[in-house]
Amino acid sequence: MGIPEISSKKILDNLSEGEKFGLAMAKKGLGGKHNMTDEDWDRFISVPSNLKLVLHTPEMMKYRIVAECVESKFCTAGIKVGQKFIFSTVPNMFLPDESDAPPCIKALAPLGEHMHGIWERMFEELDPNEGMTYYVGCLDPGPEYAGMGHVVFRLYVEKKEEE
């Protein structure tokens, strides 16, 4: 079954000249990086959320996603309150050199589930810090529920410092 496709001609007919230019640059950059055929690219941008993501990528790249520890109890990885995981917005990647929290898979995994919601709020031009997800807990339930420790993060978006 799959996602219904919209023809690329129909998509292009509804874009401004600036958006068409941005899309052409993205095709050259992103499509070229991955050796996408014209057919692959057309299939990719035929999904409305992918098209919106591509068109909003230049603006989204001005931000980063932060997961700041607000609660930590018996964390065996050693994550402490105030420590942060930093992620690039697009491409959505963990940035260990900018993070000061130890990279624990039980902490990182649930954060990844919330990145698409942040993306969607950004490309719909809504405040990404007013979405449904503000706090995310790690996968260890803590000693109250047969685990060892538990950590809670506040997830938010902030503008990157000028480079």
Side-chain angles (χ1 to χ4, degrees):
M1 186 156 176
I3 297 175
E5 294 183 24
I6 303 169
S7 76
S8 59
K9 181 176 177 358
K10 184 176 179 182
I11 291 168
L12 294 174
D13 288 346
N14 293 318
L15 297 179
S16 70
E17 289 306 311
E19 289 171 328
K20 288 177 186 176
F21 177 77
L23 194 58
M25 296 304 293
K27 181 179 181 180
K28 183 178 178 182
L30 181 63
K33 175 182 177 183
H34 296 291
N35 297 316
M36 295 174 96
T37 65
D38 287 345
E39 183 179 278
D40 291 332
W41 180 257
D42 288 349
R43 186 178 311 111
F44 174 70
I45 64 165
S46 74
V47 178
S49 59
N50 289 345
L51 177 62
K52 287 179 182 180
L53 176 62
V54 169
L55 293 174
H56 287 83
T57 290
E59 181 63 23
M60 291 171 66
M61 289 177 70
K62 296 176 184 176
Y63 295 85
R64 66 187 197 160
I65 300 170
V66 179
E68 181 177 354
C69 178
V70 294
E71 183 178 299
S72 179
K73 185 175 182 181
F74 309 130
C75 175
T76 57
I79 298 171
K80 297 176 178 54
V81 171
Q83 288 183 316
K84 299 174 183 176
F85 291 130
I86 307 296
F87 303 87
S88 61
T89 305
V90 179
N92 192 214
M93 295 177 11
F94 172 56
L95 302 172
D97 292 343
E98 295 183 32
S99 303
D100 62 2
C104 173
I105 195 65
K106 287 186 175 184
L108 289 166
L111 294 169
E113 295 177 23
H114 299 279
M115 299 301 173
H116 281 97
I118 289 172
W119 273 13
E120 187 168 3
R121 290 196 60 81
M122 291 183 86
F123 64 61
E124 292 293 348
E125 300 178 18
L126 300 169
D127 185 342
N129 292 321
E130 293 183 5
M132 295 291 291
T133 302
Y134 295 103
Y135 296 95
V136 178
C138 77
L139 294 176
D140 190 325
E144 295 85 357
Y145 302 98
M148 178 58 204
H150 187 69
V151 177
V152 177
F153 296 91
R154 182 171 72 95
L155 196 58
Y156 57 94
V157 174
E158 66 181 19
K159 192 154 186 135
K160 292 193 296 190
E161 294 179 19
E162 296 295 323
E163 297 175 9

